[in-house]
Amino acid sequence: MADAPAIASGLLPPEAYAANFDDLNPPLDRRAALVEASRCYFCHDAPCIAACPTGIDIPAFIRGIQTDNVKGAALEILEANIMGGACARVCPTEILCEGACVRTAQEGKPVKIGLLQRYATDWLFDRELQPFTREPSTGKRVAVVGAGPAGLACAHALARRGHDVVVLEKRAKGGGLNEYGIAAYKVAHDFAQKEVAFILGIGGIELRTGVELGRDVHLADLRREFDAVFLAIGLGAVNALKVPGEDLAGVLNAVDYIEALRQAEDKAALPVGRDIVVVGGGNTAIDIAVQTRRLGAENVTIVYRRGPAEMSATAHEQEVAQLNGVRIRHWARPVRLLGDGHVRAVEFEYTRLDERGRLAGTGETFHLAADMVFKAIGQLLSPDDLDGAGDGVELGRGKITIDADGTTSLPGVFAGGDAAAHAGQDLTVVAIEDGKRAAAAIHRYLTR
Amino acid sequence: MADLRCQIAGVRSPNPFWLASAPPTDKEYNVVRALRAGWGGVVWKTLGEDPPVVNTTSRYGAIHFRGHRMAGFNNIELITDRPLEVNLQEIKRVKKDWPDRAMIVSLMVPCTEESWKAILERVEWTEADGVELNFGCPHGMSERGMGSAVGQVPEYIEMVVRWCKQHTRMPVFVKLTPNVTNILAPARAARKGGADAVSLINTINSITGVDLDRMAPLPTVNGKGAHGGYCGPAVKPIALCMVGEIAKDPECRGLPISGIGGIETWRDAAEFISLGAGSVQVCTAAMHYGFKIVKDMISGLDNWMDEKGYRSLDDFRGAAARNYTDWGQLDINYEIVAKIDQDLCIKCGLCHIACEDTSHQAIAAIRDNGAKRYEVIDAECVGCNLCLHVCPVEGCITMVPVENGKPYMTWAEDPRNPQNLKAAE
């Protein structure tokens, strides 16, 4: 038994869990918000606006904070981005608005736009104000499949225009990755559910949970029953390592563990290993690594096959991981998972770029002890999720083919979010913009 | 949604935010951009007789106060330097295209009845909503006997206003200069002459600084400087005071006021309106940030009015003017003392040294086992607010009313007043 994998729960004192999964970036109080807002130059044709996928007029909302017109500021945000509260928490601002801020160029210190956006949206949420109203009913009905950011943004915009929306969600709660997939310390205190309630608060949106496309409903039926359909089903499958030993116990999908962690009432009950290896280079890799550290794992190592610049996790995210005691190793790829029923170690091969710039193994290897291995090498659209759809929706590059308005190959069927082959990265804020644009296109389609 | 519609001296606008007569309202191009951005009205930059004036280069000076740019602003620009006919054509076109916005035309011509009569006739042709007599410009034009040279002589104001009222059907606004010892004299003169409203304040005589290398006042024109007109956030307290003075003056009762001076936010506007202003005029803030600032002014005022339950501007107009009184009417028995929240205190000691060196020695600097602690000595505190103002931590120092059971008593009623002592003898 001395060789039993070192997986345990309750490694930390009970009070540590609340602190470890509280806000990573605490909110600004009024004074701090006023000081920060005063740093905004209120630029003309501001680069931060152009850098925001939803095009929030950032200087305008910061002006509202400056003048204590916080309600006006919140509305400025929410008009452009109904999930501005979530985005204030989860956006990689360092590569979006804050990266573009003229103060970044001037002095390397952008205005803290994310925290200011949170200050304004929190103000409205704390007061439980519902600023949005619906236009008169059009009598049109739209089915939205998936209650993540794309689906909810689309549903809200359609409800505003007077259409009735039914949102079908396979999980028990709405919110998508905000509820199930993002690190707990980024969306703390049940914020995701508060935001879902705020969005539904406009009326005209019925959220049906536990309903899965391809299992409980079929696209052909939805097309018959509704005047339009928006597919925002996300990416349901996870890429495999495709190396021997992948089926050993203790080898897990990072997204599954994060989902369990997000839903766990008592984080102390979550089993976590002593030596953890995370394979991948994106935000999911960072999120699982930091969260297992915060559950008490002793050694957490992220291994990525290329260099720091190629990681899709931003430099800021990498820094967060390192500040949390996560070690990041670059230029290595797993070749074998070792164990006897349960994983014990991972064998990696060093990598480099060959003369033609392609990734190649050097033949040299090393081992990392592991009692838990997390796969975080990307997600993909699961064909199962569209199975039974009846009519085939055209796919390209493994995603649903759409045009700039979110129109698919099928009349009356639109798509957006991570499942769609959109132009932007797979970010919450991009999904919201997809939903917003698709809603405009659906509105035109319904009122044509 | 509060109703922000504004009516002053018969002039209507969808909101009280007007652009003041200044460079931003010098031509159709700018004005149309402003109206598109949402401004409720404009006062067109001052027209004069042809040939137009010629301006210097280098026209603006500014006070950048510890990192904040343009806390104060100054200019030596004159009235419009474009031909009268060009301006009139543009004014007519803009008013026709934007009928719901207030269009006021600022005017400044030599002090003869013929000059005023002639220009008024031409402005009437534009169908503008009103005229504003520029008796305020403190630089350049005043050297030619116009602007503040008129505004500083109440008799001239009255005379010119009378001419204008006689020669036009348009409402006449009189723009007052603050470069006087008592603003009531020109305001009363305007009223006596029949003015429909007063606009104030115009800019204040100023030198924004001195170039110590060239030994010349700023802004400098080829080695020399002339005084300019001061405006921007720094002048707001002066403007508020003058607006309040007129609002509470029995002789000016009911005289509509268009408030001007350092207005940058909805809150500034609300303050002017609460002291009695009908509309407010903005220039420096627009010159600093562009016309888009009006959006937050409108939404901020709207949201604040909703929060307070004010449905229209009239619901709170002048509400603070009623509480603007003379020192002699203040309650001499009212007592407050400073209270320091020890949990918020960051031990900077600024409250102590301010009180110790310059006030009433009412904040003790205590060393408790080496730890610093600042405590108010209630018996010594006179409730002056100095510590509150120097404290860098919001909410750390508050002024707490003392329940002393004494009634409201003015100085006139106070037994310590020498007049009363004498009477008691």
Side-chain angles (χ1 to χ4, degrees):
Chain A
M1 284 306 289
D3 285 328
I7 295 177
S9 52
L11 294 171
L12 306 174
E15 65 278 8
Y17 292 94
N20 283 359
F21 291 94
D22 202 346
D23 274 314
L24 185 65
N25 299 303
L28 301 176
D29 62 15
R30 178 173 171 274
R31 192 190 129 79
L34 286 173
V35 169
E36 195 55 33
S38 73
R39 297 185 62 234
C40 177
Y41 290 140
F42 206 51
C43 304
H44 165 67
D45 194 12
C48 52
I49 304 177
C52 175
T54 57
I56 295 171
D57 189 340
I58 292 160
F61 92 68
I62 293 179
R63 182 81 181 167
I65 292 172
Q66 271 180 14
T67 70
D68 256 342
N69 176 19
V70 191
K71 183 181 178 186
L75 290 180
E76 187 74 53
I77 294 161
L78 296 172
E79 279 287 347
N81 179 339
I82 192 62
M83 298 181 103
C87 287
R89 293 164 166 79
V90 308
C91 264
T93 51
E94 61 277 10
I95 56 165
L96 299 171
C97 52
E98 293 181 17
C101 177
V102 297
R103 278 200 181 257
T104 299
Q106 184 189 22
E107 57 193 7
K109 286 186 190 141
V111 175
K112 291 174 186 157
I113 297 168
L115 281 171
L116 288 171
Q117 181 164 316
R118 175 166 176 186
Y119 174 78
T121 50
D122 278 0
W123 186 96
L124 194 91
F125 275 57
D126 289 347
R127 282 156 186 78
E128 295 181 1
L129 298 177
Q130 179 50 259
F132 295 104
T133 53
R134 300 185 67 198
E135 285 173 20
S137 174
T138 60
K140 302 283 185 188
R141 298 178 72 235
V142 182
V144 169
V145 187
L152 290 177
C154 181
H156 189 267
L158 289 169
R160 279 188 83 181
R161 309 301 290 261
H163 309 301
D164 289 320
V165 185
V166 174
V167 181
L168 308 169
E169 168 56 48
K170 68 177 177 184
R171 288 189 169 85
K173 295 188 230 172
L177 293 179
N178 291 344
E179 173 62 38
Y180 292 98
I182 286 168
Y185 48 76
K186 290 184 190 165
V187 200
H189 308 296
D190 210 27
F191 177 79
Q193 287 312 301
K194 271 208 243 172
E195 191 167 56
V196 171
F198 171 75
I199 290 171
L200 299 183
I202 189 176
I205 306 174
E206 184 195 338
L207 174 61
R208 293 183 194 161
T209 55
V211 181
E212 188 171 349
L213 184 68
R215 187 189 70 187
D216 308 308
V217 289
H218 301 287
L219 183 55
D221 301 332
L222 294 178
R223 292 182 73 196
R224 262 194 307 278
E225 199 187 327
F226 293 88
D227 298 296
V229 179
F230 181 60
L231 297 173
I233 57 178
L235 303 175
V238 174
N239 283 321
L241 295 174
K242 295 174 187 158
V243 296
E246 191 162 359
D247 52 354
L248 287 168
V251 181
L252 305 167
N253 290 325
V255 290
D256 295 339
Y257 192 89
I258 293 173
E259 179 170 339
L261 186 147
R262 284 295 306 274
Q263 299 308 309
E265 286 286 328
D266 178 15
K267 308 258 186 285
L270 289 163
V272 67
R274 178 183 293 160
D275 296 309
I276 291 184
V277 170
V278 177
V279 181
N283 286 340
T284 303
I286 304 285
D287 284 2
I288 189 70
V290 172
Q291 291 188 112
T292 50
R293 271 290 291 157
R294 288 181 169 220
L295 284 172
E298 210 170 297
N299 301 304
V300 180
T301 310
I302 292 174
V303 184
Y304 179 57
R305 59 188 174 153
R306 295 175 188 267
E310 287 81 15
M311 285 180 84
S312 68
T314 63
H316 170 74
E317 287 283 333
Q318 296 178 44
E319 200 179 305
V320 167
Q322 286 158 340
L323 285 172
N324 278 274
V326 172
R327 185 170 181 216
I328 304 180
R329 295 195 63 162
H330 299 101
W331 299 111
R333 65 186 180 193
V335 288
R336 217 152 43 112
L337 299 164
L338 307 166
D340 43 8
H342 195 102
V343 70
R344 299 286 179 180
V346 187
E347 182 178 319
F348 286 93
E349 180 187 23
Y350 288 102
T351 54
R352 61 176 177 86
L353 296 181
D354 67 15
E355 316 75 53
R356 294 163 66 185
R358 291 173 312 188
L359 192 72
T362 65
E364 294 168 283
T365 61
F366 65 91
H367 286 67
L368 286 179
D371 32 46
M372 275 182 150
V373 174
F374 287 104
K375 296 183 275 185
I377 54 172
Q379 292 151 259
L380 67 163
L381 181 63
S382 161
D384 293 347
D385 290 347
L386 282 169
D387 261 0
D391 310 302
V393 183
E394 190 185 308
L395 303 183
R397 290 182 292 132
K399 291 193 168 191
I400 302 170
T401 304
I402 54 167
D403 67 8
D405 284 337
T407 314
T408 69
S409 58
L410 295 178
V413 178
F414 300 77
D418 291 355
H422 50 198
Q425 296 184 55
D426 284 350
L427 295 173
T428 302
V429 66
V430 172
I432 292 161
E433 181 65 12
D434 281 359
K436 197 173 104 188
R437 273 194 213 173
I442 292 169
H443 177 72
R444 284 195 300 275
Y445 172 76
L446 296 176
T447 55
R448 67 194 184 279
Chain B
M1 285 287 279
D3 183 355
L4 297 192
R5 280 178 303 174
C6 167
Q7 187 174 355
I8 168 169
V11 178
R12 292 165 193 274
S13 60
N15 63 56
F17 302 109
W18 297 359
L19 282 170
S21 167
T25 60
D26 189 31
K27 51 187 177 297
E28 182 179 10
Y29 180 83
N30 308 64
V31 168
V32 167
R33 285 176 66 85
L35 298 180
R36 214 178 274 145
W39 290 88
V42 297
V43 183
W44 201 277
K45 184 166 162 96
T46 308
L47 310 183
E49 289 181 340
D50 285 334
V53 301
V54 176
N55 276 301
T56 58
T57 65
S58 184
R59 297 179 196 179
Y60 303 129
I63 300 291
H64 309 303
F65 190 74
R66 302 206 182 130
H68 187 96
R69 300 194 71 81
M70 284 172 66
F73 194 59
N74 134 316
N75 82 89
I76 56 168
E77 191 173 286
L78 305 180
I79 62 174
T80 183
D81 50 14
R82 305 187 317 144
L84 181 59
E85 182 60 24
V86 171
N87 276 307
L88 294 171
Q89 292 283 352
E90 290 184 3
I91 291 166
K92 188 177 177 74
R93 200 154 53 229
V94 173
K95 182 62 203 178
K96 185 165 164 287
D97 293 345
W98 299 84
D100 68 323
R101 309 302 171 92
M103 171 63 78
I104 310 291
V105 180
S106 174
L107 301 173
M108 186 196 290
V109 291
C111 231
T112 70
E113 189 169 357
E114 287 65 41
S115 294
W116 284 98
K117 185 180 175 205
I119 200 161
L120 284 167
E121 270 172 22
R122 299 193 62 183
V123 173
E124 286 210 346
W125 170 81
T126 67
E127 295 179 73
D129 299 300
V131 291
E132 184 180 87
L133 314 186
N134 182 343
F135 294 160
C137 181
H139 52 267
M141 302 312 290
S142 51
E143 295 167 21
R144 306 175 196 187
M146 293 182 271
S148 63
V150 179
Q152 287 166 336
V153 185
E155 293 76 13
Y156 290 173
I157 293 176
E158 187 183 335
M159 175 180 75
V160 178
V161 174
R162 214 179 283 286
W163 292 337
C164 291
K165 283 305 291 176
Q166 202 178 320
H167 296 298
T168 182
R169 54 170 174 77
M170 294 181 287
V172 173
F173 290 60
V174 177
K175 188 161 178 178
L176 303 179
T177 176
N179 299 307
V180 292
T181 42
N182 182 353
I183 196 66
L184 291 177
R188 288 169 181 167
R191 158 147 267 191
K192 254 192 247 165
D196 297 282
V198 288
S199 307
L200 71 158
I201 60 173
N202 207 313
T203 55
I204 304 169
N205 286 345
S206 60
I207 292 172
T208 50
V210 174
D211 182 331
L212 290 178
D213 297 318
R214 287 186 280 186
M215 279 300 169
L218 292 165
T220 304
V221 179
N222 195 17
K224 298 207 181 294
H227 80 263
Y230 196 44
C231 56
V235 312
K236 191 182 96 174
I238 298 165
L240 281 175
C241 176
M242 290 186 168
V243 165
E245 286 291 313
I246 295 171
K248 76 177 172 82
D249 179 43
E251 288 185 42
C252 292
R253 188 175 302 283
L255 179 63
I257 301 168
S258 188
I260 314 169
I263 296 166
E264 200 175 270
T265 69
W266 65 267
R267 183 181 295 273
D268 298 330
E271 289 174 15
F272 273 86
I273 294 168
S274 73
L275 275 177
S279 63
V280 293
Q281 297 184 29
V282 176
C283 172
T284 308
M287 291 183 76
H288 194 167
Y289 300 110
F291 293 138
K292 63 190 169 187
I293 55 164
V294 76
K295 192 178 171 194
D296 183 69
M297 295 174 127
I298 292 169
S299 103
L301 185 62
D302 185 6
N303 288 333
W304 172 77
M305 286 171 64
D306 280 350
E307 196 186 310
K308 292 285 179 188
Y310 297 129
R311 284 155 306 166
S312 71
L313 300 177
D314 285 335
D315 283 1
F316 71 98
R317 188 191 318 287
R322 290 190 281 280
N323 291 321
Y324 177 39
T325 183
D326 293 327
W327 189 95
Q329 298 304 312
L330 301 178
D331 182 5
I332 210 94
N333 278 340
Y334 181 67
E335 259 184 79
I336 50 176
V337 292
K339 185 165 178 284
I340 299 171
D341 183 330
Q342 295 298 340
D343 293 334
L344 291 176
C345 177
I346 56 172
K347 325 291 180 212
C348 70
L350 287 174
C351 58
H352 163 77
I353 203 61
C355 192
E356 191 71 11
D357 278 357
T358 72
S359 280
H360 296 84
Q361 297 75 48
I363 297 179
I366 299 163
R367 283 272 181 169
D368 196 356
N369 274 334
K372 291 181 179 176
R373 185 180 169 85
Y374 297 96
E375 263 177 28
V376 177
I377 306 161
D378 284 0
E380 298 298 327
C381 178
V382 303
C384 72
N385 296 347
L386 178 62
C387 55
L388 165 73
H389 293 310
V390 301
C391 178
V393 181
E394 187 165 285
C396 178
I397 298 184
T398 45
M399 305 305 293
V400 183
V402 177
E403 295 299 333
N404 58 16
K406 295 178 186 169
Y408 194 113
M409 184 172 68
T410 65
W411 177 238
E413 299 156 347
D414 193 317
R416 293 168 293 184
N417 184 326
Q419 300 295 328
N420 296 335
L421 288 175
K422 207 177 283 174
E425 274 168 11

